[in-house]
């Protein structure tokens, strides 16, 4: 391709025109190398987040307070594994292998949502994760249903549909605690206090500071800016906090009549940087656990391959 | 057996519009995949029904059987908690 400079420019122009016209890019289409790379980065980060996100919730499956809560949590964690699979497979349509993606996760080149580096300390955290973490993810994912890459957009449609119960079960579970004994209500408040700020950080840095945002918006990989999405999340969540009778852990949170939106306090960006660069409460645990699970599952993958080759030999004989 | 009967069977999938999934539209006989693609164009997209065609060897398709539906899907029926409607939230916050 490189010896035809002009034609590559033309290709790029046609590509951008297609994106501008709200048409999807499909796997066999020509696309700029940087678009492909950017997508692999974002989609694999999304997939890794689904997988690593199973850890803080999985932590409570064996200790769920009732059988119903346990079945619900199992179903949710199972969904997250499935969502990772959709996303890994969609990423692989860009010409990268699953092994390469896992390797990048293990050696730290690939990131995942930094919120999963926080521990789930009490049962109330499970409600808070469903309500706030899935809630924030849904705000983001709804806009990604219109992302420019076809396989990613279609995976998002399926994920959003399946995920509709994740947030509701979390909120329902917190409603029980918030209307329970003073101790239970305190648990709910404590969970909100610890998960609120990390949930806001899920939307990433302010628009001006976001490394990939401008190009991603031009390519319509991203459809709304970090700050727009964060504001939408805050505006939809504040009434839900009030309904629970809990207090948002932000003394500067205030309804702005003029904007028709909430004004909020500044996020601790030092903490954000620290956690994203590997120094959160659970970063090492999360990756160690993933490496361990991956290594311990090797015999299953080996067995599948051995079975397949035996079957093939039998057919050939 | 005439030579025509020995042509391979291909299943044809057409993407009607960018962004949508390929949908199965039918099948045809062809001597190889490349020919199948051209026949599919002539046969299934004469009225611009699609922007992209996939052809797949019919013998490569592994299908579940409807008679197996019971053992395949039954366990899903008693898991209503996988659906959003299972969770009753008050009207004030019900737009989740």
């Amino acid at each position: 391709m490189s010896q035809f400079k002009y034609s590559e420019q033309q290709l790029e122009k046609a590509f951008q025109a297609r994106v501008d016209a709200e048409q999807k890019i499909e796997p066999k289409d020509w696309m700029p190398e940087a678009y492909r790379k950017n997508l692999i980065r974002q989609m694999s980060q999304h997939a890794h987040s689904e997988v690593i996100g199973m850890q803080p919730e999985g932590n409570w499956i064996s200790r769920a307070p009732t059988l119903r809560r346990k079945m619900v949590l199992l179903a949710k964690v199972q969904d997250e594994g499935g969502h990772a699979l959709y996303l890994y497979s969609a990423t692989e349509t860009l010409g990268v292998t699953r092994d390469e993606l896992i390797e990048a996760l293990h050696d730290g080149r690939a990131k995942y949502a930094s919120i999963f580096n926080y521990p789930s300390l009490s049962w109330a955290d499970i409600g808070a994760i469903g309500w706030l973490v899935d809630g924030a993810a849904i705000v983001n994912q709804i806009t990604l249903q219109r992302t420019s890459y076809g396989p990613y957009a279609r995976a998002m449609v399926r994920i959003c549909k399946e995920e509709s119960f994740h947030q509701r079960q979390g909120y329902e579970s917190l409603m029980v605690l918030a209307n329970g004994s003073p101790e239970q209500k305190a648990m709910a408040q404590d969970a909100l206090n610890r998960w609120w700020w990390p949930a806001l950080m899920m939307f990433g840095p302010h628009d001006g500071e976001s490394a990939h945002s401008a190009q991603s918006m031009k390519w319509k990989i991203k459809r709304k800016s970090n700050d727009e999405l964060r504001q939408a999340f805050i505006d939809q969540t504040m009434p839900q906090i009030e309904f629970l009778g809990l207090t948002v852990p932000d003394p500067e949170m205030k309804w702005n009549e003029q904007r028709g939106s909430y004004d909020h306090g500044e996020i601790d960006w030092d903490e954000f940087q620290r956690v994203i660069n590997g120094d959160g409460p659970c970063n090492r645990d999360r990756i160690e656990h993933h490496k361990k699970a991956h290594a311990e599952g090797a015999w299953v993958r080996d067995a599948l391959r051995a079975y397949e080759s035996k079957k093939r030999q039998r057919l050939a004989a | 057996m005439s030579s025509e009967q020995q042509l391979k069977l291909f299943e044809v999938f057409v993407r009607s519009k960018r962004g949508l999934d390929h949908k199965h539209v039918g099948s045809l006989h062809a001597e190889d995949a490349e020919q199948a693609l051209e026949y599919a164009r002539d046969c299934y997209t004469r009225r611009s029904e699609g922007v992209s065609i996939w052809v797949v060897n019919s013998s490569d398709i592994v299908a579940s059987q409807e008679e197996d539906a019971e053992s395949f899907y039954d366990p899903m029926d008693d898991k209503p908690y996988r659906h959003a409607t299972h969770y009753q939230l008050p009207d004030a916050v019900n737009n989740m």
Side-chain angles (χ1 to χ4, degrees), chain A residues 18 24 29 78 154 168, chain B residues 18-19 21 82 84 87 94:
Chain A
R18 179 163 279 162
K24 299 293 178 217
D29 293 340
Q78 185 187 24
R154 290 189 289 274
R168 291 172 70 90
Chain B
R18 281 180 169 271
D21 297 303
R82 279 180 174 157
Y87 305 89
N94 206 17

Side-chain angles (χ1 to χ4, degrees), chain A residues 7-305:
Chain A
S7 106
E8 180 147 350
Q9 280 172 347
Q10 280 186 321
L11 286 167
E12 193 142 359
K13 221 173 134 189
F15 168 86
Q16 188 62 48
R18 179 163 279 162
V19 169
D20 292 341
E22 293 290 333
Q23 290 196 351
K24 299 293 178 217
I25 305 302
E26 296 293 348
K28 307 263 178 193
D29 293 340
W30 184 91
M31 59 187 87
E33 197 44 36
Y35 176 83
R36 185 191 305 275
K37 281 219 175 98
N38 196 324
L39 267 177
I40 291 175
R41 182 190 56 75
Q42 178 172 332
M43 290 169 71
S44 66
Q45 179 173 324
H46 202 155
H48 297 324
S49 300
E50 301 279 359
V51 158
I52 298 293
M54 295 163 82
Q55 290 186 39
E57 292 189 288
N59 182 32
W60 280 92
I61 289 175
S62 64
R63 292 175 288 163
T66 68
L67 184 57
R68 174 171 178 271
R69 293 284 172 210
K70 185 176 187 158
M71 294 194 301
V72 169
L73 186 55
L74 262 174
K76 179 178 188 301
V77 172
Q78 185 187 24
D79 269 0
E80 309 300 0
H83 295 171
L85 182 73
Y86 307 158
L87 285 162
Y88 281 127
S89 306
T91 313
E92 285 164 50
T93 63
L94 292 160
V96 62
T97 66
R98 186 83 52 99
D99 286 346
E100 288 171 313
L101 297 174
I102 302 293
E103 200 183 297
L105 172 69
H106 285 177
D107 66 23
R109 274 175 295 138
K111 305 260 190 258
Y112 52 87
S114 64
I115 197 154
F116 299 122
N117 291 313
Y118 292 85
S120 49
L121 300 176
S122 85
W123 168 251
D125 288 21
I126 297 308
I129 290 173
W131 170 37
L132 298 172
V133 180
D134 285 77
I138 289 168
V139 166
N140 186 35
Q141 289 174 164
I142 282 174
T143 69
L144 286 175
Q145 293 179 112
R146 297 189 302 119
T147 192
S148 58
Y149 189 55
Y152 194 19
R154 290 189 289 274
M156 279 300 116
V157 171
R158 178 171 276 266
I159 287 175
C160 283
K161 205 162 124 196
E162 294 183 352
E163 223 159 52
S164 55
F165 94 76
H166 294 186
Q167 193 188 15
R168 291 172 70 90
Q169 65 81 29
Y171 194 79
E172 186 206 62
S173 145
L174 273 191
M175 265 173 43
V176 173
L177 293 177
N179 294 314
S181 67
E183 289 83 358
Q184 285 176 312
K185 188 163 182 184
M187 263 173 74
Q189 180 66 55
D190 172 59
L192 173 61
N193 292 349
R194 284 181 291 105
W195 290 95
W196 175 254
W197 291 104
L200 295 192
M201 293 177 199
M202 283 177 72
F203 297 98
H206 284 313
D207 298 342
E209 334 252 299
S210 179
H212 308 282
S213 272
Q215 185 60 66
S216 289
M217 295 285 276
K218 184 170 174 250
W219 280 331
K220 298 191 194 287
I221 294 176
K222 276 180 81 140
R223 302 309 309 253
K224 280 197 171 161
S225 79
N226 294 354
D227 286 327
E228 277 178 287
L229 292 167
R230 184 163 24 237
Q231 186 71 59
F233 172 71
I234 291 171
D235 290 346
Q236 83 174 35
T237 309
M238 279 306 293
Q240 297 162 2
I241 295 177
E242 280 163 27
F243 185 83
L244 289 175
L246 301 179
T247 311
V248 70
D250 177 359
E252 290 174 55
M253 183 70 73
K254 216 176 131 222
W255 176 251
N256 184 325
E257 192 66 55
Q258 228 171 7
R259 288 200 307 126
S261 257
Y262 283 87
D263 293 334
H264 62 95
E266 191 52 285
I267 289 163
D268 181 350
W269 294 111
D270 289 340
E271 177 180 329
F272 174 76
Q273 288 302 336
R274 248 190 345 265
V275 177
I276 219 159
N277 289 319
D279 218 8
C282 302
N283 296 55
R284 272 172 296 270
D285 280 359
R286 298 297 186 232
I287 293 299
E288 280 317 305
H289 183 90
H290 192 279
K291 281 183 183 167
K292 186 167 164 264
H294 194 64
E296 286 175 354
W299 72 270
V300 179
R301 297 188 292 277
D302 289 344
L304 292 173
R305 275 188 288 269

